Amino acid sequence: MSIRGKVAAAALACAAVVAGVILLWPASHEAPAAPTSDQIKASAQARLDTSLKAGRAARANMQALGKTPDDAQCQAAWDNTLPSEQKSLNTSMWMHGCADAPAP
């Protein structure tokens, strides 16, 4: 048998093993577990924390450019944020992080 024939036979054998594993792997018929109340609360809190952090980052960027972060500047920065980013952030927490100075 030539080298090409041996390579083809090995590839065919590997494909057969992979197909067998896929077909014989036991399927899970159980639905995924629903998130618990604590997981939902933690997810919501993480979104708020991330929004506040992003607003504070925008504030720091404005200050680095010599601008005063006020409501108008923060609204303009929010309007320039990508829609995909806006979707994952909470607007009011972002604006709070941007326009309001952090408490000492």
Side-chain angles (χ1 to χ4, degrees):
M1 183 181 277
S2 69
I3 292 177
R4 283 187 184 167
K6 290 179 184 178
V7 170
L12 187 60
C14 287
V17 169
V18 169
V21 168
I22 290 172
L23 292 174
L24 298 176
W25 196 270
S28 174
H29 298 293
E30 299 175 16
T36 64
S37 176
D38 289 339
Q39 289 171 324
I40 293 169
K41 288 176 187 174
S43 175
Q45 186 61 48
R47 182 173 184 231
L48 294 175
D49 292 345
T50 301
S51 300
L52 184 63
K53 255 181 163 173
R56 294 253 163 90
R59 178 182 182 80
N61 288 339
M62 283 181 212
Q63 289 174 330
L65 295 172
K67 296 180 181 178
T68 303
D70 58 9
D71 289 344
Q73 291 286 339
C74 289
Q75 184 63 51
W78 176 258
D79 292 341
N80 288 330
T81 304
L82 295 173
S84 59
E85 291 178 33
Q86 287 179 354
K87 189 175 183 180
S88 67
L89 297 172
N90 180 289
T91 310
S92 60
M93 285 302 286
W94 189 94
M95 290 297 285
H96 172 64
C98 180
D100 301 333

